[in-house]
C-alpha cells in the first residue's frame, strides 16, 4: 500500500508517491500524459521532472484526452479538433465564486467541476495501471482556499474510494519538502504557479514526543489571485494592440494558437534574453510573428500590476511576521516553487528583498508534491485561521445583508468567540433558526485603462472583501428549534461559537425566552 500526493495545478499537475522500500518521494511519469521539464538538483545534477499539463479535450464521451496528449496532437487548435471541446484553466474556475456556464457537447453538459473530476479520475486510472495500490491520498490546495473548495477535494477522495484523504496547503507542503530533516529553520515559501501566488512563513521545531518527529509552525500567510495564465493573456493582448487588432477579429482557433505561442515565449525567456515565434492563421490564411524580450515582458508585468501584487503579498506576510517579533533578516531561506518563479523579473524582485544567498529555486515543479508526502511524518502542524469567519444576517429595514465577524483572520485555534451573539427571528411564528455562516476573504483585482492609441494611461490594484458561504448546497445550517415559536422584533436566541483543535466550528445556542440550552457545543461545520 502506498501514499500518493496530487498537486493539481492550474497549468501543470504533478503526481508523486513514497517509494515503499526507500520511503523517498518519486514523481510519476505517465505515457501520453506527461511532459518533462529539465531542472537541476541542489548539487547541480540534471533532473527530469514529469508533469501533466492541466488541459483536457473531449473527443467523445468514451474518449477523453488529457495532458501532453492534447498538446502533442494540437487538439483544439485546428478545424479538425474545434476549441469548444478544449478545456484549460478549469482548476482555476473551480476555486472561483462565479462558475462559468457549462459547455454542451453531444447532449451532455460539462462545467468546471465535472471537468476537474474527469481530469483527476483519468489520472487515477493511470496510477492504478502502474500497479500502485494507494491507501492514503494527499491533495494540495492554495493558501487562500475557501472551505467549499476543500469540500470538493474531500468529496472526490470519497468517490475514489481511498481509505485516508489529507489536504495541505501548497506553500506549507513545499516548506516541509525542503526542510523535513532540518528542525529550527525559518522559511518563506513563495509558490507562484499558473493561477495563484501563495506565500507561507513557517518554522520546523522538534516535537516534545520521543519519536523524533518535527512540528511545523505556520507563522504567516498571504496570497493573490494572479499567475502564469494571466501573463499569457497579457502577452497576447499586448501583441494584438501592437497590430491594431481586437480579439473579436480573431477566430477561436487563432486565439488559442496565440495563447500557446505566448506561453512558449514566456518559458523561453527564462533562459534567453529575446525570443520569437511565428504562426499561421488557418482561418485568415495569414502568417504572423511574435517577438519578445525580457525588458518587454517586464514592462507588461509592471503595467498589469503583476509585480506590484507580488510586492504587496511579500509586504503583507512580512508585516504579519513583524507583529510577531520576526524581522526579514531572521528568515533563513526563501524557497521558490511554481513555474512563474522562473520569470527573471520575479526572481530578481524576490532577490532584491532577501539577497541572492537566501533564495533557492532548485525544485520549482515537484517541491509541493514531494512535501505533501511528508505530512504523515509530522506529528502536528500549528496553524491559524487564514480567513475571517462571519455570520450573514438579513437587515429587514435596509433590505441588505450585513456581516458579523465571529473570528478574525490570523486567530490561532482552538478559539472561542469573545461574546454571546443575540439574534432575532425574521418572521412571526418562526419554528426554526438557521445560520448562514461563511468566510470573508480579500480579493485583489487590477483595473487597467488605455487611450485611443492603445497606450496604457492608468492601472490600479483594487482590494475587495468577498463572502463565501460554507455550505456548498447553499442551504443554511439549522442549529435550533423554537418552542414556543419566535416573534419578530425581539431577541430570541443567544449563540456562542468555538473552533476546536480539529478546526471544527461548534456552537452553543441558548433560548432567551425559556432559558433552555437548545444546542450544547454542537457541530456546525468541519472547517477541514
Amino acid at each position: 500500500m502506498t501514499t500518493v500526493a496530487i498537486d493539481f495545478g492550474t497549468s501543470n499537475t504533478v503526481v508523486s508517491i513514497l517509494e515503499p522500500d526507500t520511503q523517498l518521494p518519486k514523481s510519476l511519469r505517465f505515457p501520453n500524459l506527461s511532459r518533462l521539464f529539465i531542472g537541476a538538483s541542489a548539487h547541480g545534477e540534471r533532473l527530469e521532472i514529469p508533469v501533466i499539463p492541466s488541459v483536457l479535450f473531449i473527443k467523445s464521451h468514451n474518449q477523453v484526452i488529457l495532458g501532453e496528449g492534447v498538446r502533442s496532437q494540437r487538439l483544439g487548435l485546428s478545424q479538425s479538433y474545434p476549441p469548444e471541446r478544449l478545456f484549460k484553466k478549469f482548476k482555476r474556475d473551480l476555486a472561483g465564486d462565479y462558475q462559468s456556464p457549462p459547455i454542451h457537447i453531444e447532449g451532455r453538459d460539462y462545467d468546471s467541476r465535472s471537468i476537474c473530476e474527469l481530469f483527476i479520475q483519468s489520472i487515477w486510472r493511470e496510477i492504478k495501471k502502474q500497479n500502485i495500490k494507494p491507501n492514503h491520498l494527499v491533495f494540495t490546495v492554495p493558501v487562500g482556499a475557501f472551505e467549499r473548495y476543500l469540500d470538493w477535494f474531500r468529496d472526490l477522495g470519497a468517490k475514489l474510494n481511498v481509505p485516508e484523504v489529507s489536504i495541505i496547503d501548497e506553500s506549507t507542503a513545499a516548506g516541509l519538502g525542503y526542510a523535513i530533516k532540518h528542525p529550527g529553520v525559518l522559511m518563506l515559501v513563495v509558490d507562484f504557479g499558473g493561477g495563484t501566488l501563495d506565500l507561507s512563513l513557517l518554522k520546523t521545531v522538534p516535537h516534545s514526543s520521543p519519536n523524533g518527529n518535527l512540528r511545523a509552525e505556520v507563522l504567516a500567510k498571504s496570497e493573490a489571485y494572479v499567475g502564469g495564465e494571466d501573463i499569457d493573456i497579457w502577452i497576447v493582448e499586448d501583441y494584438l494592440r501592437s497590430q491594431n487588432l481586437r480579439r473579436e477579429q480573431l477566430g477561436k482557433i487563432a486565439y488559442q494558437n496565440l495563447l500557446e505561442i505566448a506561453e512558449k515565449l514566456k518559458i523561453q525567456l527564462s533562459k534567453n534574453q529575446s525570443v520569437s515565434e511565428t504562426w499561421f492563421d488557418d482561418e485568415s490564411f495569414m502568417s504572423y510573428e511574435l517577438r519578445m524580450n525580457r525588458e518587454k515582458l517586464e514592462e507588461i508585468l509592471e503595467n498589469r500590476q503583476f509585480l506590484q501584487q507580488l510586492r504587496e503579498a511579500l509586504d503583507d506576510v512580512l508585516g504579519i511576521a513583524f507583529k510577531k517579533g520576526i524581522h526579514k533578516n531572521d528568515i533563513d531561506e526563501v524557497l521558490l516553487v511554481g513555474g512563474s518563479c522562473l520569470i527573471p523579473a520575479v526572481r530578481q524582485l524576490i532577490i532584491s528583498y532577501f539577497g541572492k544567498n537566501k533564495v533557492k529555486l532548485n525544485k520549482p515543479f515537484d517541491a509541493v508534491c514531494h512535501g505533501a508526502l511528508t505530512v504523515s511524518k509530522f506529528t502536528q502542524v500549528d496553524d491559524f485561521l487564514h480567513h475571517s469567519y462571519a455570520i450573514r444576517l438579513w437587515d429587514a429595514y435596509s433590505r441588505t445583508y450585513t456581516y458579523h465577524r465571529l473570528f478574525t483572520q490570523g486567530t490561532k485555534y482552538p478559539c472561542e468567540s469573545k461574546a454571546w451573539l443575540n439574534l432575532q427571528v425574521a418572521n412571526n411564528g418562526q419554528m426554526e433558526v438557521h445560520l448562514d455562516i461563511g468566510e470573508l476573504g480579500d480579493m485583489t483585482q487590477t483595473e487597467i485603462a488605455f487611450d485611443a492609441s492603445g497606450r496604457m494611461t492608468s492601472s490600479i490594484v483594487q482590494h475587495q472583501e468577498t463572502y463565501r458561504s460554507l455550505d456548498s448546497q447553499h442551504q443554511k445550517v439549522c442549529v435550533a428549534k423554537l418552542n414556543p415559536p419566535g416573534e419578530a422584533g425581539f431577541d430570541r436566541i443567544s449563540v456562542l461559537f468555538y473552533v476546536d483543535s480539529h478546526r471544527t466550528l461548534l456552537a452553543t445556542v441558548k433560548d432567551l425566552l425559556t432559558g433552555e440550552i437548545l444546542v450544547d457545543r454542537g457541530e456546525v461545520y468541519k472547517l477541514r
Side-chain angles (χ1 to χ4, degrees), residues 174-436:
L176 297 180
Y178 270 101
I180 185 68
K181 297 179 180 179
H182 306 285
V185 177
L186 183 63
M187 301 165 294
L188 175 64
V189 179
V190 181
D191 185 354
F192 216 163
T196 55
L197 163 65
D198 297 328
L199 294 90
S200 283
L201 181 66
L202 62 151
K203 185 176 184 179
T204 54
V205 297
H207 197 272
S208 57
S209 63
N211 57 17
N213 286 352
L214 298 176
R215 178 167 57 87
E217 184 177 1
V218 182
L219 303 173
K221 293 181 181 181
S222 182
E223 86 280 343
Y225 292 89
V226 64
E229 297 279 354
D230 299 295
I231 299 173
D232 301 338
I233 295 172
W234 299 337
I235 291 173
V236 171
E237 290 178 350
D238 182 82
Y239 170 75
L240 293 178
R241 278 195 299 274
S242 71
Q243 302 297 312
N244 293 318
L245 292 172
R246 298 189 307 275
R247 178 176 173 178
E248 294 76 18
Q249 296 175 260
L250 300 177
K252 291 183 178 180
I253 294 174
Y255 186 72
Q256 288 297 329
N257 272 286
L258 277 176
L259 288 176
E260 288 284 318
I261 290 173
E263 184 186 18
K264 288 181 181 178
L265 294 176
K266 180 186 66 180
I267 294 173
Q268 291 170 6
L269 283 173
S270 65
K271 296 182 179 180
N272 303 284
Q273 290 291 334
S274 61
V275 293
S276 64
E277 288 279 345
T278 59
W279 68 287
F280 182 76
D281 186 350
D282 292 334
E283 297 171 287
S284 65
F285 300 105
M286 294 185 66
S287 181
Y288 299 88
E289 183 179 27
L290 274 75
R291 292 181 176 274
M292 181 73 61
N293 56 38
R294 289 186 178 181
E295 291 73 20
K296 179 61 178 177
L297 178 59
E298 184 170 352
E299 177 187 323
I300 292 173
L301 298 182
E302 283 286 12
N303 289 344
R304 292 288 183 165
Q305 297 289 302
F306 182 84
L307 297 178
Q308 179 61 27
Q309 290 188 61
L310 173 56
R311 294 186 191 100
E312 290 187 1
L314 287 167
D315 292 340
D316 186 28
V317 77
L318 290 174
I320 296 172
F322 183 75
K323 292 178 181 178
K324 298 182 178 182
I326 300 171
H327 297 267
K328 183 171 67 173
N329 292 337
D330 296 331
I331 298 174
D332 298 306
E333 295 183 352
V334 180
L335 311 175
L336 308 187
V337 295
S340 295
C341 282
L342 296 171
I343 298 172
V346 172
R347 292 204 310 269
Q348 290 305 315
L349 192 155
I350 296 173
I351 288 173
S352 72
Y353 266 67
F354 302 99
K356 188 174 182 179
N357 292 334
K358 289 186 177 181
V359 178
K360 293 180 173 55
L361 181 61
N362 58 302
K363 296 187 70 173
F365 296 106
D366 55 5
V368 171
C369 207
H370 287 185
L373 292 169
T374 69
V375 170
S376 60
K377 296 183 180 180
F378 276 73
T379 306
Q380 181 182 357
V381 176
D382 283 351
D383 211 336
F384 55 83
L385 300 178
H386 186 58
H387 296 123
S388 295
Y389 288 86
I391 179 171
R392 182 164 62 174
L393 305 171
W394 176 253
D395 189 324
Y397 296 101
S398 63
R399 302 191 65 81
T400 58
Y401 283 111
T402 61
Y403 303 97
H404 177 83
R405 275 180 169 78
L406 306 175
F407 302 101
T408 59
Q409 176 185 5
T411 302
K412 294 199 72 171
Y413 55 84
C415 52
E416 178 180 309
S417 55
K418 294 182 179 179
W420 290 78
L421 174 64
N422 291 342
L423 299 174
Q424 302 178 2
V425 297
N427 305 297
N428 288 324
Q430 189 169 318
M431 302 288 292
E432 296 179 339
V433 175
H434 299 258
L435 300 181
D436 184 359

Side-chain angles (χ1 to χ4, degrees), residues 65 186 475:
I65 311 297
L186 183 63
Q475 297 174 349

